[in-house]
Amino acid sequence: MGRRYAAKGKKKRKLEDGVASRADDAQELPPPEGDEGKGEEDATEGDETVEVAEGIPVLPRPVDGRKRPRAIFVLERACLEVGKVGKTMQILNSDDHANYLRKHNRNPADYRPDIIYQALLAIFDSPLTKAGRLQAVYVRTEKGVLFEVKPNVLLPRTCKRFCGLMSQLLQKLSITAVGRREKLLNVIKNPVTQYLPVGSKKIGLSYSADKSVKLNDYVAESSDDEALVFVVGAMAHGKIDSAYTDDYIQISSYPLSAACCLGKICTALEQKWDIQ
């Protein structure tokens, strides 16, 4: 009786199965059921935390034990108004909401939140502020809402993010620092004069003022014993109310934007106090 042989290809399949088994052993084991997708969830949660985290970063304050004079700014008639566009509350502006504003019988040219944004950047990006010589900034909107901006706040780098921050401020009435309870932006009660130092010199600036001065000389002649409060308009058209100002001056023969005007003020103060 002849010897029986296995069918052709069977041994080969067995070897292939063995190789396949060893290949399977070399592969990474799947994660346990409880941890499945944990890495993806962690990454997603991290991204969401960055997007929805409340608060804004702060600048380190200069450590200086000496008492030095510091400047105060009041920005009047800022174009910041919240409106419900679709299902969200947004700061209205002439670029994105022109049709919405015309529909409600409003002039789109009056809605310029970029003016106050550029004005604040001119102050907070100046060497004056970085040297710790800024005491406070107060902003009053066209609707009469008054809020304070602390000197150590780090403003958003884009106007869109700034508008989102202002929308949050006008609805929640305060914005705190990241990881702290310190209020960096805070809606406060009118009038602004109750927050100004006693004996401070309140200086209003306008192109329509009768008194024309050379700003560098005007600031240099001022006394360091009295706090200087500069009142500047942050609106597209018109002039500020000079009722509570002690002096009302014109610093240029040409109309200047709020950012340009504030830049000149900061430069004059830096020269007076020898800030490089």
Side-chain angles (χ1 to χ4, degrees):
M1 189 172 177
R3 184 176 177 180
R4 295 182 179 179
Y5 294 94
K8 284 186 177 182
K10 193 171 183 180
K11 188 174 182 181
K12 188 176 180 180
R13 282 197 301 272
K14 184 177 179 181
L15 291 174
E16 289 176 350
D17 293 340
V19 173
S21 299
R22 287 193 294 271
D24 291 341
D25 292 340
Q27 294 178 358
E28 293 183 4
L29 294 174
E33 293 182 0
D35 298 335
E36 186 174 358
K38 185 176 180 181
E40 295 180 358
E41 291 178 1
D42 291 345
T44 305
E45 290 176 0
D47 294 342
E48 290 178 355
T49 302
V50 172
E51 291 176 0
V52 302
E54 294 186 357
I56 49 180
V58 296
L59 291 171
R61 294 177 177 175
V63 179
D64 191 347
R66 290 179 293 177
K67 186 177 180 181
R68 296 179 174 182
R70 295 184 294 172
I72 301 173
F73 293 93
V74 180
L75 306 180
E76 290 280 0
R77 298 184 60 186
C79 306
L80 294 172
E81 183 177 339
V82 179
K84 188 173 183 180
V85 182
K87 296 182 179 180
T88 60
M89 302 296 291
Q90 302 177 20
I91 294 291
L92 301 176
N93 66 80
S94 58
D95 291 331
D96 300 328
H97 310 117
N99 293 333
Y100 173 89
L101 293 170
R102 293 191 188 96
K103 184 178 179 181
H104 291 79
N105 297 322
R106 301 181 188 180
N107 184 10
D110 295 334
Y111 291 81
R112 295 281 309 281
D114 58 294
I115 296 177
I116 183 63
Y117 174 59
Q118 294 170 4
L120 289 173
L121 283 183
I123 298 173
F124 284 91
D125 286 351
S126 67
L128 177 78
T129 300
K130 297 180 187 300
R133 306 299 287 272
L134 175 66
Q135 182 170 337
V137 176
Y138 300 97
V139 179
R140 180 155 44 198
T141 69
E142 284 278 15
K143 296 291 184 180
V145 179
L146 178 67
F147 62 90
E148 179 185 7
V149 185
K150 291 295 179 66
N152 58 326
V153 67
L154 184 62
L155 293 174
R157 295 291 96 183
T158 64
C159 188
K160 185 176 181 180
R161 291 186 179 182
F162 172 78
C163 289
L165 186 68
M166 290 296 103
S167 176
Q168 184 181 355
L169 171 65
L170 295 177
Q171 293 178 75
K172 295 187 176 181
L173 306 183
S174 66
I175 302 292
T176 57
V178 175
R180 305 183 191 179
R181 294 185 178 180
E182 179 187 5
K183 293 182 178 180
L184 296 179
L185 293 93
N186 188 29
V187 175
I188 54 180
K189 293 183 179 180
N190 282 291
V192 69
T193 51
Q194 63 181 317
Y195 307 103
L196 303 179
V198 177
S200 60
K201 184 176 182 180
K202 296 171 280 293
I203 307 165
L205 289 88
S206 176
Y207 172 68
S208 60
D210 296 329
K211 182 179 178 180
S212 179
V213 300
K214 292 184 177 179
L215 185 61
N216 290 346
D217 296 338
Y218 181 86
V219 171
E221 294 171 359
S222 62
S223 174
D224 286 340
D225 296 332
E226 57 182 3
L228 296 178
V229 181
F230 294 93
V231 185
V232 179
M235 62 288 188
H237 308 285
K239 60 181 181 178
I240 61 173
D241 182 15
S242 59
Y244 65 91
T245 58
D246 300 320
D247 206 356
Y248 199 53
I249 62 174
Q250 173 191 355
I251 63 171
S252 176
S253 302
Y254 306 96
L256 302 178
S257 66
C260 180
C261 183
L262 291 165
K264 292 174 71 69
I265 295 171
C266 291
T267 301
L269 291 172
E270 289 158 10
Q271 292 180 0
K272 174 180 173 61
W273 292 333
D274 194 23
I275 299 173
Q276 301 299 325

